[in-house]
Amino acid sequence: MRTGIITSMNWAEHAHAVLNEAGHRRGGARHAVVDLLSHEDCCLTAQELHDRLRAKGRPVGAASIYRVLDLLVEQGLVERIDTGPGSARFEVRQPSGEHHHHIVCDDCGKVEPFADEQLEHAIHEAEKRAGARAHHVLLRGACEDCRAA
Amino acid sequence: MRTGIITSMNWAEHAHAVLNEAGHRRGGARHAVVDLLSHEDCCLTAQELHDRLRAKGRPVGAASIYRVLDLLVEQGLVERIDTGPGSARFEVRQPSGEHHHHIVCDDCGKVEPFADEQLEHAIHEAEKRAGARAHHVLLRGACEDCRAA
DNA sequence: ATACGTGCAAAGTATTTGCAAACGG
DNA sequence: CCGTTTGCAAATACTTTGCACGTAT
């Protein structure tokens, strides 16, 4: 996925525009979360967002992180992905619809992105048949690190 | 899915056999949970199990339910499915590998099963390519009830 | 008899909510 | 200025753990 940087700016702009449109103001916490998310290529947990923002010297209260994420999910700007117990993950939704799925390591819990053209096609067909409008696939298996160990 | 009743007995037997094999004794709580699960066609939350067992007049402590479920997942007898925040869902895993996926209603949160032959095929291909050994698909969209409303 | 299973209650996490202060437009 | 956003702390919801007792083998 080499498009992260290129589209990040677009997504951040897009996100602020949508929020503005919906009558939301641009506060510091929200800006920080949107900015951080826009530079990520794969999903993060609320905790990871919290930690990274603090590390960046722009700490944001946990509650605000959850509130901002809720808002973003509600506006369709972010996808919520439940990869297992303990914590939900959040990832930017490109307006183009371009996206990937995830493979979770059974052993260490690491989450990695993967994309598959054919699978995507089959899912869109299934979506139509079922009358759904979004989807997500989770694969499970040992990651390279754990396979080696 | 018309096979629920027919295979339930087999699965319950299978489950007890596997647990026995692994050196586990057959206590009351475990039996009650296995029995209930075996009669279900779709996934239940721990809370739902708790409630239904109580309603059946065979109350089981919440802790035991979680412990039994952990054990069943560990032995590959049950699949854990995270459909959203709040609670994980659990569903029997047929030894045959036969299974379905789920569609979650954006509105009311209801979870319904769906199966798709072609999709299943595409996923198996993707699994091979990614080196995974299990998968699960979640679709999202309004359910019939909510579409009507 | 003895180790595993169970239930209760206490402890942990992740997330949500109430509220007063800070802030954007 | 006024309503939104934020951060803190308290509250909640779900799940796990510690421990004493019950029970299967």
Side-chain angles (χ1 to χ4, degrees), chain B residues 13-142:
Chain B
E13 273 174 32
H14 173 65
H16 283 306
V18 169
L19 293 176
N20 236 323
E21 192 68 26
H24 292 286
R25 297 179 182 174
R26 162 189 298 218
R30 180 170 308 161
H31 189 277
V33 171
V34 167
D35 184 53
L36 180 49
L37 279 175
S38 73
H39 292 308
E40 290 295 327
D41 276 355
C42 198
C43 53
L44 295 178
T45 63
Q47 193 62 61
E48 284 166 349
L49 280 167
H50 188 262
D51 293 346
R52 293 200 192 190
L53 288 169
R54 184 191 334 238
K56 274 180 86 169
R58 206 318 183 181
V60 170
S64 296
I65 290 180
Y66 286 108
R67 276 182 295 222
V68 170
L69 288 172
D70 267 2
L71 185 59
L72 292 171
V73 169
E74 195 178 284
Q75 297 292 329
L77 292 163
V78 157
E79 182 180 6
R80 169 184 206 120
I81 301 166
D82 297 285
T83 54
S87 59
R89 292 176 169 274
F90 300 87
E91 172 167 304
V92 163
R93 262 186 92 204
Q94 297 299 344
S96 67
E98 181 191 346
H99 70 161
H100 57 246
H101 296 291
H102 299 90
I103 176 165
V104 183
C105 177
D106 284 325
D107 237 351
C108 66
K110 191 167 63 182
V111 176
E112 292 180 277
F114 88 91
D116 186 305
E117 187 70 42
Q118 283 179 42
L119 176 55
E120 209 58 38
H121 181 264
I123 291 181
H124 279 125
E125 291 301 312
E127 261 185 22
K128 269 188 233 166
R129 254 168 272 159
R133 49 178 201 53
H135 66 259
H136 190 258
V137 180
L138 227 55
L139 296 191
R140 277 183 297 122

